[in-house]
Amino acid sequence: MGPLWLLALFFFFFSPLSCSIQPVYGAQHPPLDPRLTKNFIKDRSKANTLPMKSKKASSFHEFARNTSDAWDIGDDEDEDFSSSSSQTLNSKVAKATAAQVLENHSKLRAKPERAQSALSDMPTNCKVIKSSSEAQLSRTSEDACVRTPLPKQQSLPLRPVIPLVARISDQNASGAPPMTVREKTRLEKFRQLLSSHNTDLDELRKCSWPGVPREVRPVTWRLLSGYLPANMERRKLTLQRKREEYFGFIQQYYDSRNEEHHQDTYRQIHIDIPRTNPLIPLFQQPLVQEIFERILFIWAIRHPASGYVQGINDLVTPFFVVFLSEYVEEDVENFDVTNLSQDVLRSIEADSFWCMSKLLDGIQDNYTFAQPGIQKKVKALEELVSRIDEQVHNHFRKYEVEYLQFAFRWMNNLLMRELPLRCTIRLWDTYQSEPEGFSHFHLYVCAAFLIKWRKEILDEEDFQGLLMLLQNLPTIHWGNEEIGLLLAEAYRLKYMFADAPNHYRR
């Protein structure tokens, strides 16, 4: 592979045909909306000729026209977005990069024996990694493997790659440490509670508040959601009856999705399902998407006061992953569900439906006409923040940022689009153990979450910058430690303000 080949390869990649904008996961902001890419470069030269003031979005409507939610994938999948590919790189950048490629290539050719010796020194007992997630999770057990350090990439922070789903409850951002004595003691405490003739639900909630061990999370969630009875002898029959009842609904109602009065509901569900956690392969499997469609459609027609509302689709995923983990020992983010039996899949589907239904029973006013529950919660958040941190509140007022413009999604999706799924599951451990956790306590979590970013908020000095920050907060590397601190601050705020509401009313 000579320098000429490298030059040819270089000009192939940086030719006008290949220089198009592609979504990159792991950056500070979510993947680019493909609808924006076709106008981005074309409008860039025009924008550079305008005064600075005209670049700034002066209102939320103007801002919304130029940005979009990372989950909003257009309905017209066949639209051609190739117009941005006609742009070329700056010639100086191209020449400099080509020179660097040739120089690096010559250095590698001069020292082939070093690379060969590094390979020969590798131990032969290095474990084969099943997925990219496991590489980080098994780091401590593979220290014997000699790894050649990669050159530092200055443009990105050097953070470990951690799984979005796999072993969600057990990871901090730094990886997966071995189970401590304290964690083993906690797990044993859970097992004693769950195996008793009548589980003490108050004690189970107290134990679950700081997090539920992965091994016992499925049965703990069923109990805390009110799906399973506390009496051990009744559980098996209850599960059998509720699962049969759910599939009775499927048999009775699911064919009505083709009827005229249900077509709009089913069409919206069908559009939203592929948008549900689009970066996690598990949720892109056709069989999983069919399960989600059935769950959401049956829930919608059984709750005509609200029906299906966008955002409810997100609320199925934590339950599905937790109940799937009961049958899967390995990482679940890439797990092929076709490897499971039909009976197991039916159990996971029915349990996810009933537990999601229990959750939504407590927050259904979030999804009825005009979504009054969300309107009230956003207003309460504004009043609370004005008392907790007046400087942040006044900063929003100065740049005409309305709380509804960013906090509506926080309430509608229970922060699921602001946090990795592993963090959501840890958060829901506490929500299910806290009285009115998904409705009342969530308000204080949102307040603590907002104040967590006060420095970054105060550093932004225009409307567009604030909205971009608040809609794309950099939490991708969060783990148990960050969620634990967030919940502790939320509990402090609740203790100070929940019993004295006049504290946060002007």
Side-chain angles (χ1 to χ4, degrees), residues 40-172:
F40 177 81
I41 301 178
K42 181 174 66 177
D43 296 340
R44 192 173 173 184
S45 59
K46 295 180 183 179
N48 289 337
T49 63
L50 298 174
M52 286 299 291
K53 288 185 178 179
S54 65
K55 290 183 185 179
K56 173 179 144 184
S58 58
S59 70
F60 179 68
H61 296 292
E62 183 179 342
F63 171 77
R65 285 197 298 269
N66 292 280
T67 59
S68 76
D69 190 343
W71 263 255
D72 290 342
I73 303 168
D75 298 344
D76 300 324
E77 296 178 357
D78 298 328
E79 188 174 354
D80 182 14
F81 300 117
S82 61
S83 61
S84 63
S85 63
S86 61
Q87 305 302 315
T88 58
L89 287 176
N90 180 285
S91 59
K92 291 183 179 179
V93 175
K95 290 177 182 178
T97 308
Q100 187 63 47
V101 168
L102 292 174
E103 182 182 350
N104 292 342
H105 177 75
S106 62
K107 289 179 180 179
L108 288 173
R109 286 176 61 86
K111 301 177 181 179
E113 66 283 355
R114 289 184 60 186
Q116 184 62 37
S117 64
L119 289 173
S120 63
D121 290 340
M122 290 282 284
T124 57
N125 60 347
C126 287
K127 183 173 71 171
V128 176
I129 300 300
K130 296 179 182 178
S131 69
S132 59
S133 304
E134 192 173 345
Q136 288 298 325
L137 300 184
S138 58
R139 179 175 54 184
T140 55
S141 64
E142 297 184 19
D143 287 340
C145 293
V146 178
R147 287 170 285 186
T148 305
L150 295 173
K152 291 184 179 179
Q153 191 172 6
Q154 298 298 329
S155 59
L156 294 174
L158 293 174
R159 300 294 299 272
V161 177
I162 53 179
L164 297 173
V165 175
R167 304 199 179 272
I168 307 173
S169 68
D170 305 294
Q171 314 316 317
N172 288 323

Side-chain angles (χ1 to χ4, degrees), residues 438-488:
F438 291 99
S439 54
H440 186 62
F441 188 61
H442 181 65
L443 168 67
Y444 298 95
V445 172
C446 287
F449 186 67
L450 181 63
I451 301 307
K452 165 74 175 68
W453 308 103
R454 74 180 310 276
K455 180 182 182 300
E456 291 82 353
I457 289 169
L458 296 175
D459 286 344
E460 294 290 345
E461 295 185 344
D462 62 72
F463 176 88
Q464 181 166 336
L466 281 165
L467 262 291
M468 287 297 292
L469 170 68
L470 291 166
Q471 291 186 357
N472 302 277
L473 291 163
T475 61
I476 186 58
H477 290 283
W478 275 31
N480 282 358
E481 183 179 350
E482 290 81 1
I483 294 299
L485 292 171
L486 179 70
L487 287 167

Side-chain angles (χ1 to χ4, degrees), residues 279-440:
L279 302 170
I280 301 176
L282 173 69
F283 300 114
Q284 302 310 306
Q285 297 178 39
L287 187 53
V288 174
Q289 295 186 353
E290 289 171 14
I291 289 172
F292 277 39
E293 282 187 5
R294 287 195 292 268
I295 289 173
L296 294 169
F297 182 76
I298 296 301
W299 187 88
I301 63 174
R302 294 188 73 246
H303 295 81
S306 59
Y308 174 74
V309 176
Q310 286 180 291
I312 294 179
N313 54 305
D314 290 332
L315 305 184
V316 186
T317 56
F319 293 114
F320 184 83
V321 168
V322 167
F323 298 139
L324 176 63
S325 70
E326 195 169 19
Y327 303 94
V328 178
E329 290 294 330
E330 59 198 87
D331 301 344
V332 299
E333 62 184 1
N334 296 300
F335 181 77
D336 183 357
V337 296
T338 59
N339 294 324
L340 296 174
S341 69
Q342 186 68 22
D343 287 343
V344 165
L345 286 172
R346 286 168 64 90
S347 297
I348 294 171
E349 179 176 346
D351 292 356
S352 299
F353 169 81
W354 287 115
C355 288
M356 185 198 75
S357 298
K358 294 286 187 181
L359 184 162
L360 288 169
D361 285 347
I363 57 172
Q364 193 168 351
D365 63 343
N366 284 9
Y367 305 105
T368 53
F369 179 72
Q371 299 183 263
I374 292 179
Q375 302 278 351
K376 292 175 185 175
K377 290 181 179 73
V378 171
K379 183 63 178 175
L381 177 65
E382 180 176 358
E383 293 173 347
L384 184 57
V385 172
S386 71
R387 305 302 294 170
I388 296 169
D389 196 323
E390 191 172 7
Q391 188 178 5
V392 167
H393 179 71
N394 290 337
H395 194 69
F396 287 152
R397 295 182 65 181
K398 178 179 179 181
Y399 295 105
E400 301 180 357
V401 173
E402 300 290 338
Y403 284 75
L404 201 63
Q405 292 162 356
F406 62 88
F408 181 90
R409 189 171 78 178
W410 296 10
M411 303 299 177
N412 190 59
N413 302 90
L414 299 176
L415 286 177
M416 284 194 64
R417 297 193 178 182
E418 324 312 317
L419 299 169
L421 186 52
R422 62 180 179 275
C423 294
T424 296
I425 289 179
R426 166 62 192 91
L427 190 66
W428 285 21
D429 287 342
T430 300
Y431 279 5
Q432 293 193 92
S433 59
E434 181 76 21
E436 297 183 312
F438 291 99
S439 54
H440 186 62

